[in-house]
Amino acid sequence: MAAYKGLETATSLVVAYESLAMAHKKAWESEQYRAESQSTDPLQWTNYNNAFALLILNASIIEGTLRSILAHKLRDDISEAVERGMAAGQTAPSKMEQLLAKFNAEVEMAGGWESLKRQIELYTDISVDKSVTAEAKEAITVMFALRNVLAHGTAIIQPSLKMSDDMKDVYPWNWQAKLHGVAMYLERHFKKGGVFENLADHGMPEHFWNVTKDYLAQIETLFTPLPASVQRTIKMQKSLGFGFRKYS
C-alpha cells in the first residue's frame, strides 16, 4: 500500500449540517413572526428550503460514518497482512492482500447505502439492520428512501387519491408504491394528512437528526474499538443540538 493522505468528510458534513439547521430554525421563527404580524397562518412550505438539504446531509453523515468504519478495518487488515508477509520473506503482494485491496477500493469508491450494508455484513459478519431496533431501522430506511429521491433533484409525485392495486399500470401508481413506507412513517409521526404536508413540518429534520443520534449510538457498540476519526464524528453528532451553534 502506497503512502496517502485522507480527509474524513463526515466531520465536515456535521459542521455544514449545524449551519443549515440554524438557518432552518431562524427561517421558521421569521415565518412565524411574519404570519403573526399579519394575522395569517405560517406558510409551512418555507421549510422545504432547508429541510431537504438537511435530510441529504443527515443521510450522508450516516453513510460516511459506516463506510469509514469498514474502510479503516480493511486498511488495518491489509497493513497487518503486509507486515506478516514481509516478516515471512514475501517480496510481492499475496493473493489475500490483492483481494483485500480490491475490496477496499470497492468499498471506498462505490456508493449506495444498501450496497454498503451488504459489504459490512460480508466482511464482518454483522448485519447492521438486524443489530439495531426495528424502530431505528425503519426511520433510517425512510430517510434514505427520501435521500435517494432528493439527492437527484427528482420531483416527488403522489396521487391525489389513493390508488388501488388494480391500477398498477396507471400513473402514478409506481410513485405511491415507492413511497408507501415513507408516507406511512411520516403520517404516523407528523399527522399532517399527506406526504408533502408532513415533509413541510418544521420539526421533520430535527426528528431525523434525533433518530440518527440513537442509530449511531447503537452502531458504535458493534464495531468497538472505533477508529479515532469515526469516534470524533460520532462525538460531534451526539453533542450537536439541532439549531444551536457548537462547531461552525
Side-chain angles (χ1 to χ4, degrees), residues 2 11 34 55 82 93 95 115 117 146 149 166 172 174 181 189 192-194 217 226:
T11 52
R34 182 207 64 77
L55 280 178
V82 170
K95 289 292 184 182
S115 175
K117 289 189 293 183
L146 286 168
V149 174
D166 60 1
N174 285 345
H189 285 275
K192 294 294 179 64
L226 293 172

Side-chain angles (χ1 to χ4, degrees), residues 93-135:
S94 66
K95 289 292 184 182
M96 178 60 70
E97 291 169 36
Q98 293 176 40
L99 287 171
L100 286 173
K102 181 179 180 181
F103 186 51
N104 183 55
E106 291 175 0
V107 168
E108 292 184 340
M109 303 300 292
W113 175 238
E114 294 301 325
S115 175
L116 175 60
K117 289 189 293 183
R118 288 193 296 269
Q119 290 169 333
I120 290 173
E121 184 170 7
L122 175 66
Y123 194 70
T124 67
D125 205 29
I126 295 174
S127 169
V128 173
D129 284 345
K130 293 178 181 178
S131 300
V132 299
T133 63
E135 294 78 11

